[in-house]
Amino acid sequence: MCLILFIFLFMGNVYGDKTVEELRKDISNINTDSSYSEPGQIQRTCLSWLYGKDTYSSNPNVNKFTYEVKSFLENFMSLDKKRINDVNSREEMLKNAPDLKSIISQMEETYNYNLRSDEGKQDISEIIKLSKSGLTNMLEDTGSFFEEKGNNEKITIKKIELLENALKCYNTTTSIGGNIPEELNKKVSETKMSFYEDIEKAGNSVSEGERYYNETLNNRQMTTIKKATENYNIAISIYEKHNIPMLSGSEKYKSYYDAYKDATYKMDEANKLENELQTSFYMFVGIGAIILIIIFSTIFRGLSSYKRDEERMKITKIFR
């Protein structure tokens, strides 16, 4: 931004020796076919102000202010052309808005220190007023765009960034006549707090799950592995609640998606270990059952044999 201001001031000096006629041509040549009324009004007001001056005269202060008006209109129009339903273009507009504010500040400074006594000072004041109005409208428009996108966004982290962009737009207008919707401010704050608390909880649940998983590797108990899967399930449900799985392939939000993938991987490993323990348990029960059956069968056969022998002995005694 400092570089832009440096170039801006340097070019202002270059414009210092232009005649009023040349300045009129510069302003007239700007295409102000805008979706806003202000650029056309600024252009007409500036030309009206210049037509009140000697065509062939050259005044450094007039040159300086005219260049600032020209710079504002050109920058405004370049952003206005990007005023479409595209998040990237709107973000570029928001990024460049401070430069337009700086130009307005420079216009005010030129007026206050160099053109206070100018015969057309009412026109100058009107140009500054219209510039603020145009930028405010553009930013509020862009703020509404981000706000609507944010309200319809399903992925929480994207929702937060869109609503924060809306808030930045409104914040940028405060010094030039705009207002910040208090409801939006509250909504952004609450959504962020809820999201980051949930993400922290998910991270803690994964850590707790790991602890129980490692404990299970040592004690081989079903109770601890079930606690591990419970914790992993808590983490995964939180990530799914905020639609983190929908961030697959996103570089910008890679850390969130990686955390979700890590939780699902550890859940799979815990399920494998649980199945392994269940299989071992069922095998143990099965083998135990077989052993018991063999033991009981042996005992039963022994008792049966004993009873048969006893019956034979009784019969033998009778016939004696």
Side-chain angles (χ1 to χ4, degrees), residues 238-256:
I238 288 172
Y239 291 130
E240 288 176 347
K241 169 189 169 184
H242 294 289
N243 291 307
I244 300 297
M246 294 171 67
L247 293 171
S248 172
S250 169
E251 278 300 315
K252 186 175 183 181
Y253 309 104
K254 189 175 184 296
S255 61
Y256 293 105

Side-chain angles (χ1 to χ4, degrees), residues 8 61 64-69 72 98-117 121 123-133 135-136 174-177:
F8 172 75
N61 294 327
K64 187 173 185 297
F65 186 78
T66 305
Y67 173 72
E68 288 160 359
V69 173
F72 177 84
D99 293 338
L100 282 172
K101 276 188 73 176
S102 295
I103 295 171
I104 293 172
S105 296
Q106 194 64 42
M107 288 162 67
E108 287 182 310
E109 188 177 317
T110 302
Y111 170 64
N112 289 326
Y113 290 99
N114 306 109
L115 294 170
R116 272 285 181 187
S117 60
K121 65 180 180 182
D123 286 335
I124 298 170
S125 296
E126 183 65 15
I127 289 168
I128 293 170
K129 181 182 174 183
L130 287 167
S131 299
K132 288 180 179 180
S133 171
L135 182 56
T136 298
T174 53
S175 62
I176 52 174

Side-chain angles (χ1 to χ4, degrees), residues 228-242:
T229 55
E230 282 172 13
N231 276 283
Y232 290 140
N233 264 322
I234 289 170
I236 290 167
S237 64
I238 288 172
Y239 291 130
E240 288 176 347
K241 169 189 169 184
H242 294 289

